[in-house]
Amino acid sequence: MHWFILAALALVAAAVLWYTQAAAQRDGGLPPEEEEGAAFRRWLADPGALEEIHSAVDGLCGIMAHPDLGGPGFLTVRLPQPGEDGSVVVAAQYPNIRERLYRRVVRQELDRETLQSEGVSGALLALAPTFETDSGGIVVISVRAAYMEPGLVNCVSGRRERQAALRLLSDRLSGPTLEARPFGTELLLTPVRDAAKV
């Protein structure tokens, strides 16, 4: 008889829990997966953060399109991990076909005047880019763009949360000249072919 009463109480408790959760959603509460992305969505709604990322993307696209310093390649956007400095890192990776910039990077001839004389824009240099190369002639230029507070970084540190954040960011960065899509733990940006030919 006691087991029957306990089972009935458990059913009543489950019904009450279901009702309160349903009422919370009707009253404007978000489903768990949307609640997890709400903080990042609010951060992304700040025009300053998105503008900084766009500035980095535009500057790096400009150098990739340069007739002497550029080459076909791609950009990545990486959100910070817990324990890092909180910067969103935008990077361009491409072969410097004429090797002018590649040689400068290898020799570490990276002062502002030299780079500007070669054709690197002042707008890109104002973002304090980092120049690197590998033995295959690939140039990698990175820019630390928008900043995320540690609490926000923690909100997107899990795999599911990070993928949701990257999807939101890809919607904001995709356009007529660039296609953005999540690729692993980063966002991959590639030039749209038809636009590149114009």
Side-chain angles (χ1 to χ4, degrees), residues 57-188:
V57 168
D58 291 345
L60 293 171
C61 283
I63 198 169
M64 285 174 60
H66 193 283
D68 295 319
L69 307 179
F74 57 89
L75 277 70
T76 57
V77 179
R78 189 175 69 83
L79 301 178
Q81 298 278 10
E84 296 179 349
D85 74 350
S87 295
V88 176
V89 177
V90 183
Q93 181 172 325
Y94 63 95
N96 179 213
I97 295 171
R98 298 186 189 276
E99 293 194 359
R100 283 176 61 175
L101 184 58
Y102 178 78
R103 288 195 297 270
R104 292 286 186 200
V105 178
V106 168
R107 297 171 187 161
Q108 288 298 293
E109 298 169 346
L110 299 173
D111 60 278
R112 187 181 183 92
E113 292 75 19
T114 299
L115 291 174
Q116 279 195 293
S117 70
E118 289 285 4
V120 180
S121 72
L124 178 58
L125 292 173
L127 301 175
T130 300
F131 294 83
E132 300 171 278
T133 62
D134 68 14
S135 58
I138 300 296
V139 174
V140 181
I141 308 174
S142 304
V143 173
R144 294 186 178 278
Y147 176 77
M148 294 172 62
E149 295 287 345
L152 180 58
V153 173
N154 289 333
C155 283
V156 296
S157 61
R159 182 178 178 279
R160 184 176 62 182
E161 296 85 358
R162 182 166 293 260
Q163 288 299 310
L166 290 175
R167 284 193 298 272
L168 284 170
L169 189 54
S170 71
D171 290 343
R172 303 299 196 281
L173 295 180
S174 290
T177 59
L178 277 179
E179 178 189 6
R181 64 186 183 279
F183 185 76
T185 59
E186 299 179 326
L187 195 64
L188 182 68

Side-chain angles (χ1 to χ4, degrees), residues 5-21:
I5 294 172
L6 288 174
L9 288 173
L11 284 173
V12 170
V16 169
L17 180 62
W18 176 84
Y19 178 79
T20 55
Q21 287 179 341

Side-chain angles (χ1 to χ4, degrees), residues 32-42 155-156 161 164-165 168:
E33 62 275 9
E34 290 185 27
E35 190 66 52
E36 289 165 353
F40 185 79
R41 191 176 286 107
R42 285 192 298 271
C155 283
V156 296
E161 296 85 358
L168 284 170

